[in-house]
Amino acid sequence: MDYNSFELNESIGTKVGDICRQRRKDPPFLIFEGGSNPHDFSFTILLLEMSIVLILSHLLHFLLKPLKQPKVISGILAGIIIGPSGLGQNNTFAKYVTPASSQFVIQNIGIIGFMLFMFVTGVKMDLNVIFKARKKHCIIASAGIIIPYNILWLVAICIRKDMDSDFVQFFAIVNITSAMIVTSFPVIYTILKEMQLLSSEIGRLALSVGIISDFVGVIAIVAFEAYWQKHNKIKRLVCYLLTIPGVTFLVIYGVPHVMQWIKKKTPEGKPIEQNYIIATLLGFFVIGFTSDFIGAAIGNGPLWFGLAIPDGPPIGATIVDKSEFIMNEIFMPFAYATIGVKIDVFAMTKFWTYITPIFTLAFVAIVTKMVAIVMAARFLDMSYRDSLTLGLMLSLRGQLEFLMCLHWMDLKIIQTPAFSMLVTLSIAVTFIVSPLINFLYDPTRPYMINRKRTIQHTMQESELRILACIYDQESVASLFRLLDFANSTTRNPLKVFTLYLIELLGRGAPLFIDHTKSHDEYWDNNNEVVHNAIKLYEKAHTGRITMEFFTSVTPHHTMYQDICEIALSNKVGFIILPFHKKCIEDENDFSTSIHRPGVQSANDNTLAHAPCSVGILACKSVATWGSFQNRASNNIQRQFAILFLGGSDAREALSLADRMMEHSDVSLIVVRFLTYEFKGDDVLERRMDDGVVISFWVKNERNEKLTYKEVVVNNGFETLSSIQSLNHSFPIDLWIVGRKHGINPILLDGLSEWSDNPELGVLGDFLISTDFNTTGSVLVVQQQILRDQEANHCTCL
């Protein structure tokens, strides 16, 4: 048996797959009635294979998740296990589970999966990144392409005499080396999304470089296809060159006009009609057929079609939302299984001599690309760790490389041994690189600093920097009302950075806009209203409040990275976050309130990693606050209350309340809770509490708007009783409380059942619950956690 015999075997396998696919004519339960064997029917085998592929791929992903492995690895391994490299070696398994008659169908489902993957990825890609690319991006992308190309050509010249006759041709070497060198945006986007690194600094850089490299890769693929047509017949080349511009023109100029028409037909704030979505998906199949019919790679058409569809809401977001789940959970496991089933490690080892030159080129391409990226990043003054991380990210291999390998097999450029080697090398690289990225790069590391950025440590009559996070129009109103009572004056000015957070929908790369430096704006249904509200608020507080406006379009689970990054770079002392439950006007029932999707996890992560103090504002009723315009004109007196249970968070809350006390319309009640004979107190914490409380009292002892009292309790239930009593005595507009750090556990003893909203702490959770009858809003404060404090906390745990 020689190397070229694999071509004959594969054609025989295809013919066998077309032989006698029986139709079921027997009655149900035929195996119990002595009828035909279900394994005699290709449809039954197909259902069995579908079940095995889906179960095995999800099981492997669960097992490999602790090793930080992406889904692509588990999918390929599932295919390898049931293919000729695994259980397929057993004749009985191959006969009854993976016969040729069902493999034909499985492979076609897998190809549809790859086509859908390219289409959805195209919808998410924003080619404007190429035209907006900074010098840094272009240098890294160029270095990652030009340097490996030159080295690979030298290597190819040296080993060309040892190459197989099919591979030694010029166009084959160019195409395969291009695929090995060019970074694929779809691949790194998919894996970085699983790693939750899309919004990280290095992740954003890798995605931008990937889009630039992909642009070069598409040009290389089109050129290769043209050369391949010439290699067969000049007539084919002429037809190809005539049809490609026509299809490209239709996709680039025709489809966007249709999409704009659909957008105009859709009322603002309403979803795209289902008929338009169905028509778009039908166009995906038509363009896939067309690209295959004219001789282009089958993934090109869907990719171009996806690029022509506007990313983001409403059209791109709806298409991605309707397609992504079934693509990732159904079609892609079959796509990976199609690749895995074709891998034959035994053939690879048997014909290793023939494929050694291809392995050499592929290995050199991967290594030289990573080294070139690292060198370019170091040249641009990136740290060694970040440079290596970027090089590893841009070395990830996946779906696009697998699809190209299938295409090369169809063109008879490579056979099964070379295919097996290239795919195995790709998954080996991704298998090794993925955990290394997680080990080397922690996007939260810069946020935990040792420099104090808190309200308590901000000098009086100095600028306090606040980051106000906005999720929707309701959060704008509540945050501005709180800022209005923070007593901004010409002597105590506020520098407010407002960050409008939008969930990333229908696009791949996250978007961050500094509206003071960029004219580019990402509009959704709320953006213009929010932007105008910020401008009006700043204008009304000229001289006292200076505002800067940012917009971040990112997944919910990485929103905290943008929040922390802005707070760190702008030396913010206090972050204000809206609670994940919206207040309902004229109702005092948070159990029926509307949730802000994904906001709870964003708030949790911000509390854990913020480089400054954080406050979460929960509003139980809009009417309690009133608008800041009405408040200013009518001089309505507001009653605030701070519940001081001790600890760093309580001290930070008292420092904020101290600023509010200077506001002419604010009256404050301070209640300090103590235990009998200071039982359970941390002596150092109590001394620091005493110092802050005494300083506050000395400053405000003659202020008639201040009421101070101390309450001694034995357990958490007495603490709640005292709070209930205070609530019945005074109509409180705003409750201020420290979150959890440094609280004497006796003060909350017996209240462990209050855990519905742990980000608010035990007391904050009680204050916003339906058991506490108040319409007052709640502000939960957490003081900055320094790096040393976090280390000590982890050690104690």
Side-chain angles (χ1 to χ4, degrees):
M1 180 178 180
D2 62 6
Y3 181 66
N4 293 324
S5 64
F6 275 94
E7 180 179 348
L8 176 62
N9 289 342
E10 288 168 2
S11 63
I12 292 174
T14 303
K15 291 179 181 178
V16 171
D18 294 331
I19 295 175
C20 192
R21 291 186 173 82
Q22 302 181 48
R23 297 180 61 190
R24 182 181 294 277
K25 297 181 180 180
D26 296 315
F29 309 108
L30 50 86
I31 192 172
F32 298 108
E33 299 177 5
S36 302
N37 191 327
H39 290 95
D40 294 336
F41 299 93
S42 58
F43 182 73
T44 307
I45 296 298
L46 173 64
L47 295 178
L48 176 62
E49 282 190 345
M50 290 177 68
S51 302
I52 293 175
V53 167
L54 293 176
I55 292 173
L56 193 56
S57 61
H58 284 85
L59 177 62
L60 287 172
H61 179 63
F62 174 77
L63 296 176
L64 294 175
K65 201 170 184 180
L67 299 178
K68 308 298 181 182
Q69 295 301 323
K71 285 185 177 181
V72 62
I73 296 295
S74 57
I76 295 292
L77 290 180
I80 292 176
I81 289 173
I82 66 174
S85 301
L87 298 175
Q89 283 286 307
N90 184 284
N91 293 332
T92 304
F93 183 88
K95 177 181 178 181
Y96 289 106
V97 179
T98 59
S101 60
S102 62
Q103 285 187 29
F104 174 80
V105 181
I106 290 290
Q107 290 173 12
N108 279 278
I109 296 176
I111 295 298
I112 294 175
F114 278 122
M115 291 172 58
L116 189 59
F117 175 79
M118 298 301 293
F119 168 68
V120 173
T121 303
V123 174
K124 294 178 180 179
M125 288 179 67
D126 182 10
L127 292 182
N128 290 325
V129 172
I130 299 174
F131 306 107
K132 300 175 185 176
R134 293 183 294 175
K135 183 179 178 181
K136 180 178 183 179
H137 301 154
C138 296
I139 291 175
I140 294 175
S142 301
I145 295 175
I146 296 173
I147 295 176
Y149 251 128
N150 290 320
I151 294 176
L152 275 180
W153 273 111
L154 293 175
V155 174
I157 292 172
C158 295
I159 65 174
R160 190 175 184 184
K161 62 180 184 300
D162 299 322
M163 295 181 185
D164 183 71
S165 58
D166 291 331
F167 183 73
V168 76
Q169 302 171 69
F170 171 79
F171 65 86
I173 297 176
V174 171
N175 191 49
I176 293 184
T177 52
S178 299
M180 289 294 119
I181 292 172
V182 172
T183 299
S184 171
F185 172 84
V187 172
I188 60 175
Y189 165 77
T190 304
I191 297 177
L192 292 183
K193 182 179 180 182
E194 290 187 47
M195 293 181 179
Q196 299 187 7
L197 294 177
L198 287 181
S199 298
S200 64
E201 181 182 1
I202 306 300
R204 290 177 187 269
L205 179 58
L207 290 174
S208 298
V209 173
I211 292 178
I212 298 172
S213 298
D214 252 356
F215 182 74
V216 177
V218 169
I219 295 175
I221 291 174
V222 172
F224 165 75
E225 295 294 342
Y227 195 93
W228 173 253
Q229 302 297 337
K230 176 186 175 183
H231 176 70
N232 287 275
K233 286 183 180 180
I234 296 296
K235 182 179 178 181
R236 290 189 181 182
L237 174 61
V238 174
C239 294
Y240 180 80
L241 293 178
L242 290 175
T243 53
I244 282 293
V247 174
T248 305
F249 180 85
L250 176 64
V251 170
I252 294 178
Y253 293 100
V255 175
H257 284 88
V258 174
M259 295 299 146
Q260 289 299 325
W261 178 81
I262 293 175
K263 187 175 181 180
K264 290 180 181 178
K265 295 283 289 183
T266 304
E268 185 176 353
K270 299 293 183 180
I272 302 296
E273 288 187 17
Q274 187 172 357
N275 291 335
Y276 296 141
I277 302 300
I278 295 173
T280 304
L281 295 177
L282 178 61
F284 150 72
F285 285 104
V286 171
I287 198 68
F289 163 77
T290 304
S291 61
D292 192 45
F293 181 75
I294 64 177
I298 198 168
N300 281 341
L303 177 62
W304 298 339
F305 187 57
L307 288 172
I309 296 175
D311 60 334
I315 300 175
T318 306
I319 292 173
V320 172
D321 181 61
K322 299 293 184 182
S323 309
E324 199 166 30
F325 179 80
I326 191 171
M327 177 191 75
N328 289 331
E329 303 302 328
I330 303 296
F331 282 105
M332 289 313 294
F334 288 104
Y336 300 143
T338 299
I339 301 297
V341 167
K342 285 183 174 291
I343 294 176
D344 190 342
V345 295
F346 300 103
M348 180 178 68
T349 55
K350 185 174 182 179
F351 295 97
W352 183 256
T353 304
Y354 295 95
I355 63 177
T356 299
I358 307 177
F359 173 80
T360 303
L361 284 178
F363 182 78
V364 171
I366 293 170
V367 173
T368 54
K369 178 180 179 62
M370 187 175 71
V371 173
I373 294 293
V374 173
M375 290 174 57
R378 284 294 301 146
F379 173 76
L380 295 169
D381 294 327
M382 292 179 61
S383 68
Y384 285 103
R385 182 184 286 264
D386 288 349
S387 300
L388 181 56
T389 301
L390 180 63
L392 292 173
M393 286 182 178
L394 295 175
S395 299
L396 292 165
R397 325 298 297 171
Q399 296 88 339
L400 192 59
E401 288 77 21
F402 302 152
L403 186 58
M404 290 303 300
C405 288
L406 279 178
H407 186 52
W408 297 334
M409 283 194 72
D410 291 339
L411 299 180
K412 305 297 188 295
I413 295 175
I414 61 175
Q415 306 295 333
T416 298
F419 173 87
S420 303
M421 183 276 298
L422 289 172
V423 175
T424 302
L425 180 61
S426 296
I427 62 175
V429 169
T430 301
F431 188 90
I432 295 171
V433 165
S434 297
L436 283 177
I437 293 173
N438 278 279
F439 175 76
L440 289 172
Y441 185 61
D442 178 9
T444 67
R445 184 167 56 259
Y447 309 145
M448 300 301 296
I449 59 177
N450 287 321
R451 180 172 297 179
K452 293 181 178 179
R453 292 179 180 173
T454 68
I455 299 175
Q456 181 185 350
H457 298 94
T458 300
M459 295 179 61
Q460 289 291 332
E461 299 187 5
S462 63
E463 182 182 72
L464 175 63
R465 294 179 167 233
I466 295 177
L467 173 59
C469 298
I470 298 169
Y471 294 107
D472 45 37
Q473 294 182 32
E474 291 85 353
S475 58
V476 174
S478 58
L479 287 171
F480 282 179
R481 292 181 194 113
L482 179 63
L483 289 175
D484 206 45
F485 289 113
N487 193 40
S488 56
T489 64
T490 54
R491 291 188 307 150
N492 292 301
L494 294 181
K495 176 78 172 183
V496 180
F497 302 89
T498 56
L499 176 61
Y500 183 36
L501 293 154
I502 304 173
E503 182 184 7
L504 182 69
L505 296 172
R507 58 180 293 133
L511 185 65
F512 180 80
I513 303 171
D514 182 351
H515 293 277
T516 61
K517 300 178 181 179
S518 174
H519 297 291
D520 298 325
E521 294 174 340
Y522 183 94
W523 298 109
D524 70 347
N525 295 330
N526 295 319
N527 195 291
E528 187 172 6
V529 176
V530 171
H531 204 167
N532 290 335
I534 292 172
K535 290 180 179 179
L536 290 172
Y537 187 83
E538 181 181 25
K539 185 177 180 180
H541 295 77
T542 303
R544 294 180 291 148
I545 297 180
T546 306
M547 306 191 77
E548 292 187 15
F549 182 35
F550 304 93
T551 297
S552 172
V553 186
T554 186
H556 282 306
H557 55 264
T558 57
M559 280 182 176
Y560 77 96
Q561 295 177 7
D562 282 338
I563 296 173
C564 295
E565 183 63 32
I566 293 178
L568 180 67
S569 59
N570 292 286
K571 300 179 180 179
V572 168
F574 190 57
I575 298 173
I576 305 175
L577 301 171
F579 189 47
H580 70 273
K581 295 179 181 178
K582 296 183 182 181
C583 54
I584 299 178
E585 195 162 2
D586 299 327
E587 290 189 27
N588 186 27
D589 187 2
F590 258 42
S591 63
T592 60
S593 60
I594 301 173
H595 286 236
R596 297 181 172 105
V599 172
Q600 186 171 21
S601 63
N603 288 352
D604 286 340
N605 286 320
T606 303
L607 287 168
H609 303 294
C612 60
S613 298
V614 183
I616 297 181
L617 178 62
C619 298
K620 298 185 88 172
S621 174
V622 175
T624 302
W625 285 88
S627 65
F628 62 85
Q629 291 92 342
N630 291 338
R631 183 210 58 75
S633 59
N634 297 333
N635 294 321
I636 301 174
Q637 196 70 23
R638 301 294 183 184
Q639 184 69 64
F640 293 177
I642 176 169
L643 307 176
F644 191 94
L645 277 72
S648 58
D649 294 348
R651 294 192 292 272
E652 186 74 359
L654 186 61
S655 300
L656 176 61
D658 188 16
R659 280 181 169 265
M660 293 180 170
M661 265 296 298
E662 297 181 10
H663 197 286
S664 58
D665 296 340
V666 173
S667 297
L668 181 66
I669 300 174
V670 179
V671 182
R672 185 181 184 185
F673 292 87
L674 300 169
T675 58
Y676 283 102
E677 299 180 353
F678 306 112
K679 183 179 180 181
D681 276 356
D682 182 294
V683 177
L684 179 60
E685 288 286 350
R686 190 177 77 242
R687 288 177 180 174
M688 289 190 289
D689 292 342
D690 290 341
V692 171
V693 171
I694 291 172
S695 175
F696 173 78
W697 174 249
V698 170
K699 178 183 176 182
N700 297 286
E701 62 179 335
R702 295 187 179 181
N703 193 333
E704 297 179 353
K705 298 185 299 175
L706 172 65
T707 302
Y708 175 81
K709 58 195 245 177
E710 294 182 350
V711 178
V712 180
V713 296
N714 287 310
N715 52 52
F717 295 105
E718 291 185 7
T719 301
L720 295 187
S721 297
S722 300
I723 297 173
Q724 291 279 23
S725 176
L726 176 64
N727 183 48
H728 293 152
S729 303
F730 300 94
I732 305 298
D733 296 308
L734 177 67
W735 299 85
I736 307 173
V737 62
R739 182 169 175 250
K740 65 175 184 178
H741 296 105
I743 296 178
N744 185 338
I746 294 179
L747 297 176
L748 301 176
D749 184 34
L751 303 181
S752 58
E753 65 272 14
W754 298 104
S755 59
D756 291 340
N757 304 286
E759 69 273 23
L760 298 180
V762 174
L763 206 54
D765 198 7
F766 169 74
L767 292 174
I768 62 100
S769 68
T770 56
D771 296 326
F772 188 62
N773 185 23
T774 181
T775 57
S777 298
V778 179
L779 178 63
V780 178
V781 178
Q782 174 184 282
Q783 192 173 66
Q784 174 195 10
I785 302 174
L786 301 178
R787 184 182 296 275
D788 294 338
Q789 290 177 324
E790 179 69 13
N792 294 333
H793 177 66
C794 294
T795 303
C796 295
L797 291 179

